[in-house]
Amino acid sequence: MEFTIWDVLIDFSIISGLLLMGVLLRAKIVFIQRTFMPASIIAGILGLILGPYALDILPFTELIGSYPGLLIAFVFAALPFSTGKFKVKEVIGKVGGLWSYSQTIMLLFYGLGLLFALVFLAPFFSDLHNGFGLLLAAGFVGGHGTAAAVGDAFAQQGFEEATSIAMTSATVGALTAISIGLVLIKRAAAKGQANYIQDFKQLPHGLRSGLLPDSEWDSMGEGKVSSIVIDPLIYHVMFIVIATGIGYYLSVLGEELMPNVAIPAFSLAFIVALLIRLVIEAFGADKYLDKEIFSKISGGATDYLVAFGIASINLTVVAQNMVPFIILMIFGIVLAYSFYRFLSGYYFQENWFEKGIFTFGWITGAVAMAIALIRVADPRQESETLDDFGLAYVPITPVEIALITFGPLFIASGQHWLFVVITLLITIAILLFSYSQGWIKKSRT
């Protein structure tokens, strides 16, 4: 098929229609409201069913599988502009325990997930790629964004099936976060362990349907440049596109200079964006940037990423790896639940359930699912769990990017065992440090 720019328009038009349908279904159907699935996941599932790998009704082009790789670079380029300034003392003093808890389970998912696949799956499935276990963390911990990033990195190394498997992993993780998470919330409420729980029927209509009433409308951000010069939205998009383009160019240049080392474009886009932000801050011009607008742009790109990612899952590839995939998913669910069940009470003496259920949602279905769960368990945000996590996530971000970037590189160079050892040693170090700081209590709440 000959490519034209109109092919891109066709794909985005179809996925936009599915996103709109997802919004309408979430607004009108109570069953879908109870699942708390965002419109992007609904759109992706519809695209998968009606797309080229299933019923083949929708006229997607052959480019459908290429968009997640571009969109994840766009999302990562927005990150440095959408976060606040990092203050070490503030993070350690207020949310050291939450940081330790979240960072530990992230590292365990990467290290133990890979170890589990190498020890218990690889001997029985001879064709299994050495990086197969990494797809558990790619889908569960980071959601569809990280799945796209890791899948794209593996695809550059010849493991082309990785993207479809990682996207499926992310979808399973999101459904796990909501289904099991809601069961855990109901159980905690029955046992009196939840401090702010309300029944689903008592939740605000806007939270259930996704359509906010007039009283809850808010601004997407502040325009700090005159529209006479440039539209404020385009002004912010401009920085992200520049960083993404330079990141991609550097990635291609790196492949030419070092053919055996493929540095993902999203990692380089993040670094370029960070450097741009530092230069802007050095000149005191950062006051003309609005992090809320950057956050909304990033969120919009993520919605499209999730929808395209699910819709482009190659079901044949997933079916060929079905047995090891199911076993790996079960291991991930057990690991996430065990960490929540047995360690939350030792880490958190106050609001342990709210912090634990939030992290369970994050570690299985990404931040969006975690927010959905905490809005059910704590509708008025009285536990301040979301605010604390936002602060704790600042030092987690560079670790996550390092894992996403260097994990596939370690595996490509045959150093998969070294990657396992490094992640587990860092995990042990964090646990020992946390215990010495008193973040891990001697007795469970």
Side-chain angles (χ1 to χ4, degrees):
M1 182 184 70
E2 183 180 354
F3 166 77
T4 70
I5 195 63
W6 294 103
D7 293 324
V8 176
L9 176 64
I10 290 172
D11 289 334
F12 272 86
S13 296
I14 295 172
I15 215 71
S16 295
L18 294 177
L19 283 168
L20 178 58
M21 188 175 296
V23 173
L24 296 175
L25 291 174
R26 174 65 185 270
K28 297 298 182 181
I29 300 178
V30 175
F31 169 75
I32 295 180
Q33 292 175 4
R34 288 182 178 275
T35 67
F36 278 88
M37 282 194 296
S40 56
I41 291 183
I42 299 172
I45 293 174
L46 291 174
L48 178 62
I49 296 172
L50 303 174
Y53 299 110
L55 299 179
D56 197 18
I57 295 175
L58 296 176
F60 283 115
T61 72
E62 295 178 1
L63 297 171
I64 183 175
S66 305
Y67 300 117
L70 168 64
L71 290 168
I72 189 58
F74 197 81
V75 170
F76 269 71
L79 282 176
F81 298 109
S82 57
T83 57
K85 294 183 179 180
F86 176 54
K87 299 179 180 179
V88 178
K89 292 184 178 179
E90 184 179 1
V91 171
I92 294 178
K94 185 178 180 182
V95 294
L98 184 57
W99 163 79
S100 172
Y101 183 82
S102 302
Q103 187 70 86
T104 297
I105 187 59
M106 171 188 281
L107 288 165
L108 285 177
F109 256 83
Y110 276 92
L112 291 183
L114 185 57
L115 179 64
F116 178 82
L118 291 172
V119 174
F120 295 103
L121 297 180
F124 302 99
F125 302 94
S126 57
D127 296 332
L128 209 65
H129 191 276
N130 284 335
F132 187 80
L134 210 65
L135 302 181
L136 170 64
F140 273 43
V141 181
H144 294 86
T146 301
V150 174
D152 186 59
F154 273 131
Q156 293 180 35
Q157 301 165 8
F159 183 19
E160 297 180 356
E161 301 90 348
T163 300
S164 288
I165 298 173
M167 284 294 179
T168 307
S169 171
T171 304
V172 171
L175 297 176
T176 297
I178 291 300
S179 58
I180 296 181
L182 291 177
V183 171
L184 294 177
I185 290 174
K186 291 179 180 178
R187 181 188 299 176
K191 293 183 177 181
Q193 297 171 333
N195 298 306
Y196 316 100
I197 188 63
Q198 290 186 10
D199 185 79
F200 178 84
K201 295 179 180 179
Q202 297 176 323
L203 292 175
H205 178 73
L207 179 58
R208 288 185 279 119
S209 68
L211 302 178
L212 297 176
D214 299 8
S215 58
E216 296 183 26
W217 290 353
D218 59 2
S219 173
M220 292 178 58
E222 296 180 349
K224 299 181 179 181
V225 295
S226 174
S227 57
I228 296 176
V229 177
I230 188 172
D231 181 83
L233 177 61
I234 297 303
Y235 171 74
H236 288 76
V237 171
M238 174 182 70
F239 289 101
I240 302 175
V241 174
I242 290 172
T244 304
I246 296 176
Y248 173 75
Y249 174 78
L250 292 176
S251 177
V252 173
L253 180 62
E255 289 185 21
E256 294 176 354
L257 298 176
M258 299 177 290
N260 296 325
V261 179
I263 301 178
F266 71 85
S267 295
L268 294 172
F270 175 84
I271 294 173
V272 172
L274 183 60
L275 292 175
I276 292 175
R277 171 177 167 171
L278 292 176
V279 171
I280 292 173
E281 288 181 352
F283 283 95
D286 53 307
K287 63 182 180 180
Y288 295 109
L289 301 178
D290 189 285
K291 69 176 184 178
E292 294 299 327
I293 295 180
F294 281 115
S295 180
K296 295 300 183 183
I297 296 171
S298 175
T302 301
D303 283 335
Y304 275 99
L305 187 155
V306 171
F308 273 120
I310 297 176
S312 62
I313 292 174
N314 190 326
L315 296 177
T316 302
V317 169
V318 177
Q320 292 172 347
N321 297 273
M322 183 60 70
V323 175
F325 177 78
I326 291 176
I327 296 173
L328 186 64
M329 294 298 99
I330 293 174
F331 170 76
I333 293 170
V334 171
L335 176 59
Y337 174 76
S338 300
F339 201 83
Y340 154 81
R341 175 67 177 81
F342 298 109
L343 285 183
S344 295
Y346 288 99
Y347 263 97
F348 312 119
Q349 298 297 296
E350 182 180 357
N351 295 321
W352 76 267
F353 167 72
E354 286 74 23
K355 290 182 171 64
I357 198 63
F358 179 90
T359 306
F360 175 83
W362 167 64
I363 211 65
T364 53
V367 176
M369 297 298 101
I371 293 174
L373 291 180
I374 197 62
R375 289 293 299 273
V376 176
D378 179 17
R380 299 179 182 177
Q381 298 300 299
E382 296 174 79
S383 67
E384 298 183 351
T385 298
L386 188 56
D387 294 337
D388 289 348
F389 182 79
L391 191 60
Y393 195 71
V394 175
I396 292 175
T397 300
V399 178
E400 183 176 21
I401 292 175
L403 290 169
I404 297 170
T405 302
F406 295 107
L409 294 179
F410 268 82
I411 292 167
S413 60
Q415 301 298 321
H416 39 279
W417 290 110
L418 179 60
F419 181 81
V420 170
V421 171
I422 291 175
T423 53
L424 295 184
L425 286 178
I426 295 175
T427 301
I428 293 173
I430 291 175
L431 289 172
L432 292 175
F433 177 75
S434 301
Y435 186 79
S436 69
Q437 296 296 311
W439 295 338
I440 302 177
K441 311 301 179 183
K442 296 182 179 180
S443 60
R444 179 179 171 86
T445 300

